[in-house]
Amino acid sequence: MAAKVKTALQATPSKKPSSKSALAKSRLISSKLAYKGRVINVYRDTVEEPNGLIFKRDVIRHNGSVVVLAIDESIDPKDPIIILERQYRHAVGEFLLELPAGRIEPNEPPLTAAKREMIEETGYRAKSWKLLTRYFASPGFLGESMHIYLARGIRAGEAQPEPDEQIEILQIPLSEAMKLIASGKIHDGKTLIGLLLLQGQLRASS
């Protein structure tokens, strides 16, 4: 008989971790602003790790972002239309297919930011909103958290993009979007996560 293997969440430590164990938090000794930008700030932090060693870490601080997975279920609820954007991203030098998204302004609730960003970038509004997940894109050096919202009961309107936003709005069935993922034509992380989550939820409810 094969031995049962506990998952990381099921396993329990054999003894209570000490303050210097791998499960303890690091201690911030100092933090210095190295660069202040319009969207991000970069800090040089000095931290003491749980093992007692001291390291310098460069950390990007960001207010956080919202992602909008807006769907039209009027034709086929099992294969809803997804609102996607195609825009050029200078940092990677490519045109990307993405879900609408944007940063959260200081002291702005994430849901308020999601509604604002969808109107600005696409013109669409929605009757109902649901938080699908919150995740960290690259927690090794980036403090940005991303909130993905599912927007349903959408209706079209006039977009209000920023001057530097050149956005092409696309309406694609989820099944077609999944084919784009399978063929390696969607490279944006937040879009991959949002679409895969939606597909999983629809399969679980069918």
Side-chain angles (χ1 to χ4, degrees):
M1 180 181 294
K4 293 183 178 180
V5 179
K6 289 186 176 181
T7 67
L9 292 178
Q10 293 172 328
T12 55
S14 58
K15 60 181 180 178
K16 186 176 181 181
S18 67
S19 60
K20 295 298 182 181
S21 76
L23 298 181
K25 293 183 178 180
S26 61
R27 181 176 69 89
L28 179 63
I29 297 175
S30 66
S31 183
K32 181 180 179 181
L33 180 65
Y35 169 78
K36 183 175 180 59
R38 184 175 66 89
V39 177
I40 64 170
N41 294 325
V42 181
Y43 287 84
R44 171 61 61 89
D45 289 354
T46 303
V47 296
E48 180 184 2
E49 297 295 336
N51 59 11
L53 298 178
I54 295 176
F55 292 94
K56 299 283 188 180
R57 300 204 181 276
D58 294 331
V59 180
I60 299 174
R61 301 296 181 192
H62 188 284
N63 283 336
S65 298
V66 289
V67 184
V68 181
L69 178 47
I71 63 174
D72 180 355
E73 303 167 279
S74 60
I75 299 175
D76 185 356
K78 295 182 179 180
D79 189 20
I81 302 296
I82 311 297
I83 305 302
L84 289 175
E85 301 176 347
R86 184 176 184 269
Q87 61 178 319
Y88 182 76
R89 292 296 196 178
H90 170 71
V92 298
E94 294 182 20
F95 284 92
L96 297 181
L97 288 174
E98 306 178 37
L99 292 173
R103 67 180 179 272
I104 301 171
E105 299 296 340
N107 302 315
E108 184 181 31
L111 179 55
T112 301
K115 293 178 179 180
R116 173 181 55 75
E117 285 293 340
M118 186 164 79
I119 293 172
E120 289 179 359
E121 295 192 356
T122 72
Y124 280 88
R125 291 166 171 80
K127 290 183 179 179
S128 68
W129 294 79
K130 177 185 177 183
L131 179 65
L132 286 181
T133 192
R134 172 178 173 265
Y135 75 98
F136 296 97
S138 188
F141 64 91
L142 177 59
E144 178 187 17
S145 64
M146 306 194 79
H147 301 70
I148 301 181
Y149 284 93
L150 178 63
R152 310 173 82 163
I154 62 173
R155 66 184 189 277
E158 185 176 352
Q160 304 165 23
E162 298 289 337
D164 63 342
E165 292 178 327
Q166 303 296 319
I167 299 172
E168 179 186 1
I169 306 300
L170 305 173
Q171 300 178 6
I172 300 177
L174 177 61
S175 58
E176 293 301 316
M178 298 311 297
K179 290 178 183 178
L180 292 173
I181 290 176
S183 61
K185 295 180 180 178
I186 293 181
H187 305 116
D188 177 61
K190 62 183 181 292
T191 304
L192 292 169
I193 292 172
L195 293 177
L196 290 169
L197 278 175
L198 177 62
Q199 183 193 50
Q201 290 192 5
L202 291 177
R203 285 181 174 177
S205 62
S206 62

